């Protein structure tokens, strides 16, 4: 899926199950280790000036999850995925994993409390864009960590890419992927527009406004510092990060977690970040047999990059090591050999600790 964007659009996670899956423990994520409790709120954002590119006659709307350093208190812990969407995402994953959908309890509690009062003061921002076809939830373990360290993190669902996105009132929007020879370019252009719209919404929030379409109450003291913004993403989300930085100077530093910067590697059809480079810091994180040594789009990027560059490689990891699947799949009781092509053979806790440390150090230096 990392080889080019369209592989991310059409690829699937195919695994084999074993009987142990039925007896595996419930799903959960490791707790964040920063000094702050984590709060969480969701925003429903409607871009009234932009038609939805995938569903004719509708307006583009997004759901984002905002996590932030909090004071003690707040409501219950936020679910990994809201109930209606969780069922459909579980069905989609279960068909690929070949396990019963009921085994994928994606409503399990995270470590963030809904509506908790914010710790106060303007806080630097980090945005997150997931891989093509995947929901914003798959970056939760990394985002909770950054929030616990003092960042306001904003996870974006690119509507109609995941199996399901749940909106207020329980309404669910399903997957409607682009097709045709220009599908990858249309998808990335939409993602970049989504991200820039979210940046606009954060500016509204920083001014004391409420960008939520239903004007739902916001957590007390939540103030994003829009003068300090980072962004990262996995696979197509890493591609989105670079392309957003080309056209929007509000993002001060970015990270690409194992994502190609090409629409087609075989045709050397690269994104603008690769062909033009950036004048701001960028982090490239790779795994398995993928790195700058094997990815010509990364080589193209490095030959044009004008800002600082950092690289980190997980040799015994794999593409989905850079998602929550790294720690969730081993809890399903599947044959380790069947999941190794997707999350590698690296010990899950060590993989997550390494990723958290790399992102924390990078954003601490260039954003905070």
């Amino acid at each position: 899926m990392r080889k080019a964007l369209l592989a991310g659009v059409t690829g699937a996670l195919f695994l084999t199950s074993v009987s142990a899956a039925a007896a595996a423990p419930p799903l959960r994520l490791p707790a964040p280790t920063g000094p702050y409790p984590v709060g969480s709120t969701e925003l429903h954002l409607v871009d009234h000036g932009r038609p939805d590119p995938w569903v004719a006659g509708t307006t583009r709307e997004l759901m984002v999850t905002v996590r932030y350093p909090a004071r003690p208190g707040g409501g219950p812990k936020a679910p990994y995925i809201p109930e209606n969407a969780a069922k459909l995402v579980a069905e989609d994953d279960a068909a690929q994993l070949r396990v019963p959908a009921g085994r994928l309890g994606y409503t399990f509690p995270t470590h963030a409390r809904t509506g908790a009062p914010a710790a106060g003061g303007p806080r630097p921002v980090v945005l997150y864009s997931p891989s093509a076809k995947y929901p914003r939830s798959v970056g939760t373990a990394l985002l909770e960590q950054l929030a616990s360290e003092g960042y306001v993190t904003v996870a974006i669902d690119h509507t109609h890419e995941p199996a399901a996105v749940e909106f207020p009132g329980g309404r669910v929007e399903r997957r409607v992927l682009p097709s045709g020879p220009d599908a990858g370019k249309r998808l990335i252009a939409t993602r970049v527009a989504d991200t820039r719209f979210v940046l606009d919404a954060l500016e509204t929030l920083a001014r004391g406004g409420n960008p939520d379409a239903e004007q739902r109450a916001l957590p007390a003291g939540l103030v994003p510092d829009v003068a300090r913004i980072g962004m990262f993403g996995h696979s197509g989300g890493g591609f989105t990060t670079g392309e957003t930085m080309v056209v929007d100077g509000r993002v001060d530093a970015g990270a690409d977690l194992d994502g190609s910067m090409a629409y087609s590697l075989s045709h050397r059809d690269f994104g603008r970040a690769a062909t033009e480079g950036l004048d701001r810091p960028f982090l490239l994180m790779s795994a398995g047999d993928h790195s700058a040594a094997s990815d010509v789009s990364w080589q193209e990027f490095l030959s044009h990059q004008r800002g600082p560059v950092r690289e980190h490689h997980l040799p015994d990891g794999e593409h989905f090591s850079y998602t929550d699947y790294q720690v969730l799949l081993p809890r399903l009781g599947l044959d380790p050999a069947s999941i190794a092509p997707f999350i590698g053979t690296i010990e899950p806790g060590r993989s997550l600790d390494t990723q958290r440390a790399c992102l924390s150090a990078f954003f601490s230096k260039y954003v905070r």
Side-chain angles (χ1 to χ4, degrees):
M1 275 184 274
R2 60 178 168 240
K3 291 184 177 179
L5 176 73
L6 285 181
V9 174
T10 60
L13 185 64
F14 289 103
L15 306 173
T16 58
S17 66
V18 295
S19 59
L27 297 179
R28 61 178 175 82
L29 295 175
T33 62
Y36 295 99
V38 178
S40 176
T41 192
E42 292 189 344
L43 296 177
H44 174 204
L45 306 176
V46 180
D47 189 348
H48 295 286
R50 183 163 57 119
D52 190 284
W54 315 133
V55 179
T58 65
T59 299
R60 187 64 171 171
E61 55 182 335
L62 306 171
M63 288 299 297
V64 303
T65 297
V66 181
R67 298 178 179 91
Y68 51 90
R71 297 197 301 270
K77 291 183 177 180
Y80 187 64
I81 303 178
E83 183 176 4
N84 292 341
K87 179 179 182 294
L88 296 169
V89 173
E91 290 173 355
D92 190 64
D93 281 359
Q96 300 172 45
L97 293 165
R98 299 176 187 172
V99 299
R103 179 64 197 87
L104 302 177
Y106 285 156
T107 59
F108 68 86
T110 62
H111 301 282
R113 294 200 174 272
T114 58
R123 300 285 178 167
V125 176
V126 176
L127 279 71
Y128 174 75
S129 176
S131 172
K133 288 183 64 180
Y134 287 86
R136 68 189 189 273
S137 58
V138 297
T140 296
L142 293 174
L143 295 167
E144 287 191 333
Q145 178 65 28
L146 289 169
S148 78
E149 294 176 0
Y151 296 88
V152 171
T153 69
V154 184
I156 305 169
D157 253 341
H158 299 287
T159 311
H160 301 304
E161 285 191 35
V165 178
E166 185 167 338
F167 288 87
R171 173 172 61 94
V172 171
E173 294 295 330
R174 302 298 305 272
R175 178 179 291 143
V176 184
L177 290 175
S179 59
D182 64 343
K185 293 182 178 179
R186 292 170 57 207
L187 184 140
I188 285 293
T190 298
R191 283 169 154 255
V192 170
D194 289 347
T195 305
R196 301 187 75 184
F197 179 59
V198 171
L199 289 169
D200 294 343
L202 291 172
E203 290 183 341
T204 297
L205 184 58
R207 293 192 298 266
N210 186 346
D212 184 74
E214 285 77 29
Q215 293 292 291
R216 293 171 296 180
L218 298 169
L222 178 59
V223 183
D225 183 350
V226 293
R228 296 182 290 169
I229 298 177
M231 181 175 176
F232 74 103
H234 170 249
S235 194
F239 193 178
T240 301
T241 298
E243 297 305 285
T244 299
M245 292 179 68
V246 170
V247 297
D248 201 314
R250 289 177 289 184
V251 181
D252 300 307
D256 180 347
L257 278 54
D258 213 44
S260 171
M261 295 181 170
Y263 301 105
S264 170
L265 288 172
S266 60
H267 291 90
R268 298 184 65 85
D269 188 2
F270 303 132
R272 289 182 61 187
T275 58
E276 300 174 22
L278 302 167
D279 58 2
R280 282 151 286 158
F282 207 78
L283 169 65
L284 296 170
M285 299 184 73
S286 57
D289 62 359
H290 177 244
S291 69
S294 62
D295 189 328
V296 292
S297 71
W298 282 21
Q299 295 166 18
E300 187 81 2
F301 169 74
L302 291 171
S303 71
H304 293 98
Q305 171 67 354
R306 303 179 303 283
V309 175
R310 291 188 177 186
E311 295 183 57
H312 187 83
H313 183 65
L314 293 176
D316 46 355
E318 271 299 340
H319 189 53
F320 284 94
S321 290
Y322 290 108
T323 70
D324 291 339
Y325 291 119
Q326 175 72 91
V327 292
L328 293 179
L329 291 186
R331 296 186 63 82
L332 292 176
L334 299 170
D335 178 2
S338 72
I339 60 178
F342 304 97
I343 60 172
T345 58
I346 189 171
E347 196 280 317
R350 182 168 69 87
S351 176
L352 180 60
D353 289 347
T354 299
Q355 295 174 51
R356 285 174 164 180
C358 286
L359 288 171
S360 177
F362 178 76
F363 288 126
S364 179
K365 181 175 178 64
Y366 293 114
V367 175
R368 189 164 65 181

